[in-house]
Amino acid sequence: VTEETANCENPALYRTDPAQAWRRLKGLNRLRPDEQSAARALADWRERRAIESDKPRGWILADEALYALATCDPVSVAALESIPTLPPGVIRKRGDELLELLRAARADESGIPLTAPKRPEPAQMALATRLLQVVRDVAAELEVSAEVLATRKDVEAIAFGSSAPENSPLLRGWRKAVVGEKLLAALA
């Protein structure tokens, strides 16, 4: 328990660098490059406002409104008012600021367009399935939920090679002794 909660005590875990706030957005790679630039700029702006006002980012601008702004390309306050997910208070207080931000973001072509994540190969999917079964078997032996031992994301990261096995939380601390060694054996 101490090992698990030690990570939760790290203040850096709860701080987001505004310039990296866009990484928290889901589905950004499905947007056009100019929309991605707008969404990145909006995420940065939202994070800065949240830090300044000490409020949750969703209270500043909900994800739904952020995506609507990024994809609608509004050019006037009237256009902002036509976005149903954008609260009137945001338009009134920050409308001109948002329009200027969007203009600058769309003009800036320095942002690298994101690509859709590569689909795993059938062999990688088979390996992930095999590793998940190892986790389920160990969990059944211990009479605990498999999710306590390992998340699907952590297992797939090993199977798909998206992170080096030594960086996996499954191969550190108590998880290594409980399930990590068995996962390594299944990789061989």
Side-chain angles (χ1 to χ4, degrees):
V1 173
T2 303
E3 188 178 314
E4 286 294 303
T5 57
N7 289 333
C8 296
E9 294 174 352
N10 180 359
L13 182 66
Y14 305 103
R15 276 190 223 113
T16 300
D17 174 15
Q20 299 299 312
W22 63 270
R23 294 184 182 278
R24 299 176 75 91
L25 299 173
K26 305 288 184 237
L28 195 59
N29 58 353
R30 292 191 292 265
L31 302 179
R32 293 188 325 256
D34 62 320
E35 295 171 343
Q36 288 177 16
S37 292
R40 286 179 184 189
L42 288 164
D44 180 294
W45 174 86
R46 175 177 72 173
E47 196 67 30
R48 289 180 197 284
R49 293 294 166 276
I51 291 168
E52 288 170 9
S53 62
D54 195 26
K55 292 196 171 34
R57 67 183 64 83
W59 288 14
I60 306 299
L61 187 66
D63 281 355
E64 200 176 355
L66 186 149
Y67 281 111
L69 282 168
T71 57
C72 291
D73 193 18
V75 293
S76 67
V77 172
L80 289 176
E81 290 169 348
S82 70
I83 299 173
T85 57
L86 195 58
V90 172
I91 298 168
R92 189 176 54 257
K93 293 176 188 170
R94 305 284 186 183
D96 291 331
E97 184 180 352
L98 287 170
L99 290 170
E100 182 54 38
L101 176 78
L102 290 168
R103 269 192 289 277
R106 291 181 188 281
D108 179 19
E109 297 180 12
S110 64
I112 301 168
L114 302 172
T115 57
K118 190 179 90 174
R119 286 185 139 344
E121 300 291 324
Q124 292 172 316
M125 288 301 296
L127 177 58
T129 302
R130 200 167 69 239
L131 295 178
L132 285 166
Q133 188 58 52
V134 168
V135 171
R136 284 192 290 272
D137 292 345
V138 171
E141 285 174 31
L142 297 174
E143 298 179 355
V144 297
S145 171
E147 291 79 17
V148 170
L149 300 179
T151 65
R152 174 180 279 287
K153 183 178 177 181
D154 289 336
V155 172
E156 287 178 346
I158 293 172
F160 302 164
S162 54
S163 71
E166 61 271 8
N167 293 335
S168 173
L170 304 179
L171 300 175
R172 291 192 305 267
W174 67 269
R175 282 188 173 85
K176 182 175 183 180
V178 173
V179 74
E181 296 295 340
K182 292 178 181 171
L183 290 171
L184 288 174
L187 283 172

